[in-house]
Amino acid sequence: MTAYWLTLTAAIITSMVGQILLKSGATGEGGFLAQLFRPHTIIGLGLYGGAALLYIVALRKIPMSVALPFTAVSYVVAVLIGHFFFGEGLGTQKIVAIALISLGVVVLAGA
């Protein structure tokens, strides 16, 4: 069972790296086609697809009712990466949301 949890963790990390690359590819000059063919965007899409495959493997042994909410960790990481790497705001409402999501994941992990 541990290998499936590692696979789920790898899926979450791969998805997050893909998200970062997609955000990076979304910046810069040009329209949608220019954005679509930037290396960051192409690699980000590939990682996103890879994350989906890893997630499918994890679902072989981890109940979906646990695995899917566990991916909420990526929401917390996304807000922090957005703030520290892309200069996005981090106000009280986002901090409260991070705390609630984190609490939910901890409660679910103990269920």
Side-chain angles (χ1 to χ4, degrees), residues 76 92-102:
V76 173
T92 305
Q93 191 173 12
K94 285 185 181 178
I95 292 170
V96 170
I98 288 172
L100 289 172
I101 292 169
S102 300

Side-chain angles (χ1 to χ4, degrees), residues 10-11 14-15 44-56:
T14 304
S15 173
L45 288 170
L47 288 174
Y48 225 52
L53 295 175
L54 289 168
Y55 184 70
I56 290 168

